[in-house]
Amino acid sequence: MSLPILMTVDDDPTVSRSVARDLRRRYGQDYRVVRALSGADALEALREIKLRGDAVAAILADYRMPQMDGIAFLEQAMDLFPHARRALLTAYADTEAAIQAINVVDVDHYLLKPWDPPDEKLYPVVDELVRTWRSAGAAPVEETKIVGHRWSSPSYRVRDFLARNSVPYRWYSVDEPEGQRLLEAADATGDDIPLLVTPDGAVLRKPGGPEIAEAVGLSTRPASEFYDLIVIGGGPAGLGAAVYGASEGLRTVLVERKATGGQAGQSSRIENYLGFPDGVSGAQLTDRARRQAQKFGAEVLTTRDVVGLEARGSARTVRFGDGTELAAHAVVLSTGVAYRALDAEGVEGLTGRGVYYGSASTEAPACQGEHVYIVGGANSAGQAAVFFSRYAKDVTILVRGSSLKDSMSHYLIEQLDLIDNIHVRTGTTVLRAHGDDHLEALTLCSDGGTEVVDCSHLFVFIGAAPRTDWLGDGILRDEHGFVRTGADLLVDGQRPPGWTLDRDPLHLEASIPGVFVAGDVRSQSVKRVASAVGEGAMAVTLVHRYLEAR
């Protein structure tokens, strides 16, 4: 952690060096002393300090400086660091002006030059400045900082990306003073929103996923051109395959389009996963699995969008959206599924501005005292309802069917019944979402007709669709787009077209030899976290069998 800063500003180089020398002698172990020879230079330094997230404890500025005197400088410095304590260095003839400055810009003290001996004249004043600063609770901010609009889809996407990748960040609305200070320090405007500032002070304007990943230290580029195993998709199945592949000696790389964890990673609480009797959040489970995979030597790449897969001799090659390629002896497909879009008027335009797919836990604090609506009747919807019930005034689950019993686990239904502010409305659908810059109301349809309800937050969990169009014709899929594997590929005992080996496909093997499928993307898979992890592990066993038989 960087030391807090004591800044001294004086246009006289001799005085500047003397102040800095005396400050370092007394405070050098606990503070970093920064000096500037003009107000303009000092403001530039303060902007860089602000972007890095360091703290300024106190500023000592000379009263008489050309271009910008000490009072004008301190007025602008306060905009950047309002909690920093302030003192003026002044000659005896300017004492009256220094006293007036205490009222004009809230200067804490003034110091007469010369200040010898410092033990009697300088240090008592600075001691009081830093004591006041510490008692105010000011502390350095080390997190990545985001400045954005409250109801903005791009701002939400940046926050969601960082949260799902376990990157600490602090959010500032463009409407609050600190957000404005960061914009000013970055020489940015509202057109640059969302603005991201990394802990080392780098500024990103309207950043996309790959740019953010690079800036915050996530790995995006493979270390090699060829691996034993490429795992595509970082949900439970992919993480399971990465852990077992790497732990069993395969050079393994996992590539993920957005963030590891998949839908399970967004779950607020998974209570029926083996070994966690008190439950575990999807984020916790994902983080542990990712660290476990990396401990065994697996590479984890984020923001890599795979757009093609083909066999080239004995190699299996994946093609990324940026045109680059990566090859391996074998591939595990574990791309999971995505929530289907809600087919209701107005929803598309309000997505990320009150309408969210998945639990979107970053929105929880904003739901304080609100009435939250959740669409869906499966476990993910029930887990989200339990989570948001801790924040919202009321949570209403909207279910198209007549009951939750056919789609939700029994333990979760019982849990919902015990929470007073959770309500379930069956036989109900959303017809329309209302709002200009953000969601304000919903039109609901049920057996009793239609009604309009106030709503600022709608979370959607309606079914799952596999994202498999990119696979092309080489990988056979069922009528819903899920990938066929093993015996499901045999038609009247005949192997799939183009099959090149003198054996039937292995249990989780797709229609291209050496390509295995695990988790929700596989046709007729069991849509549970435990089964996905199990299939990821089983896929690695089959990879070994495939490699040994070549």
Side-chain angles (χ1 to χ4, degrees), residues 339-349 351 355-357 373-376 398 400 428-433 439 442-444 458-462:
Y339 291 115
R340 288 192 172 94
L342 180 62
D343 185 17
E345 185 179 350
V347 165
E348 184 177 357
T351 299
V355 177
Y356 306 96
Y357 288 89
Y373 284 83
I374 293 175
V375 180
L398 305 176
R400 182 189 295 269
T428 304
T429 58
V430 177
L431 288 183
R432 183 178 179 183
L439 179 65
L442 298 172
T443 297
L444 305 181
L458 175 70
F459 300 92
V460 182
F461 303 83
I462 51 168

Side-chain angles (χ1 to χ4, degrees), residues 52-76:
R52 289 199 305 268
D54 293 339
V56 177
I59 304 172
L60 285 71
D62 182 46
Y63 172 65
R64 285 187 179 271
M65 292 188 293
Q67 285 83 48
M68 182 186 299
D69 65 28
I71 295 175
F73 160 72
L74 287 175
E75 282 184 311
Q76 296 189 48

Side-chain angles (χ1 to χ4, degrees), residues 302-325:
T302 57
T303 66
R304 299 313 303 262
D305 193 12
V306 179
V307 298
L309 169 62
E310 59 181 292
R312 295 180 185 172
S314 62
R316 301 295 175 260
T317 302
V318 300
R319 187 172 67 258
F320 297 113
D322 61 2
T324 59
E325 295 181 340

Side-chain angles (χ1 to χ4, degrees), residues 125-409:
V125 171
V126 178
D127 284 345
E128 180 62 24
L129 292 175
V130 298
R131 185 163 48 246
T132 303
W133 176 76
R134 287 195 176 279
S135 66
V141 178
E142 291 196 321
E143 301 96 336
T144 295
K145 295 179 279 291
I146 310 168
V147 183
H149 293 290
R150 170 68 187 87
W151 298 110
S152 161
S153 295
S155 296
Y156 164 71
R157 287 195 292 269
V158 173
R159 288 185 289 134
D160 185 59
F161 178 84
L162 293 175
R164 293 187 60 188
N165 281 287
S166 303
V167 178
Y169 73 89
R170 187 165 296 184
W171 160 258
Y172 299 96
S173 170
V174 70
D175 299 319
E176 61 181 290
E178 187 65 14
Q180 287 295 321
R181 293 185 191 108
L182 284 168
L183 286 178
E184 180 184 346
D187 194 24
T189 67
D191 293 334
D192 298 316
I193 297 299
L195 185 84
L196 185 144
V197 183
T198 65
D200 61 359
V203 176
L204 282 67
R205 294 166 169 81
K206 296 182 178 179
E211 188 181 3
I212 298 171
E214 290 275 4
V216 299
L218 298 175
S219 181
T220 61
R221 294 184 175 89
S224 177
E225 296 180 353
F226 195 92
Y227 292 83
D228 293 322
L229 175 64
I230 299 172
V231 181
I232 305 174
L239 288 167
V243 167
Y244 282 92
S247 67
E248 293 175 11
L250 297 177
R251 290 172 299 152
T252 302
V253 59
L254 183 151
V255 294
E256 166 58 42
R257 191 163 60 102
K258 186 173 183 180
T260 52
Q263 286 189 6
Q266 294 180 282
S267 176
S268 56
R269 203 76 180 165
I270 302 170
E271 297 193 69
N272 58 352
Y273 187 64
L274 186 68
F276 293 89
D278 298 320
V280 61
S281 74
Q284 289 174 319
L285 189 61
T286 296
D287 182 63
R288 293 178 182 182
R290 180 177 58 243
R291 287 189 286 112
Q292 191 174 15
Q294 291 173 323
K295 182 191 76 170
F296 287 123
E299 291 181 43
V300 178
L301 309 180
T302 57
T303 66
R304 299 313 303 262
D305 193 12
V306 179
V307 298
L309 169 62
E310 59 181 292
R312 295 180 185 172
S314 62
R316 301 295 175 260
T317 302
V318 300
R319 187 172 67 258
F320 297 113
D322 61 2
T324 59
E325 295 181 340
L326 195 60
H329 292 302
V331 169
V332 171
L333 281 176
S334 53
T335 51
V337 293
Y339 291 115
R340 288 192 172 94
L342 180 62
D343 185 17
E345 185 179 350
V347 165
E348 184 177 357
L350 293 171
T351 299
R353 297 188 292 148
V355 177
Y356 306 96
Y357 288 89
S359 61
S361 58
T362 55
E363 291 298 306
C367 295
Q368 194 75 39
E370 300 289 338
H371 194 148
V372 168
Y373 284 83
I374 293 175
V375 180
N379 279 10
S380 54
Q383 291 159 352
V386 173
F387 173 70
F388 284 110
S389 69
R390 305 170 195 157
Y391 299 87
K393 179 181 179 182
D394 289 290
V395 177
T396 298
I397 302 176
L398 305 176
V399 186
R400 182 189 295 269
S402 60
S403 171
L404 291 174
K405 293 181 180 178
D406 294 334
S407 56
M408 190 176 292
S409 295

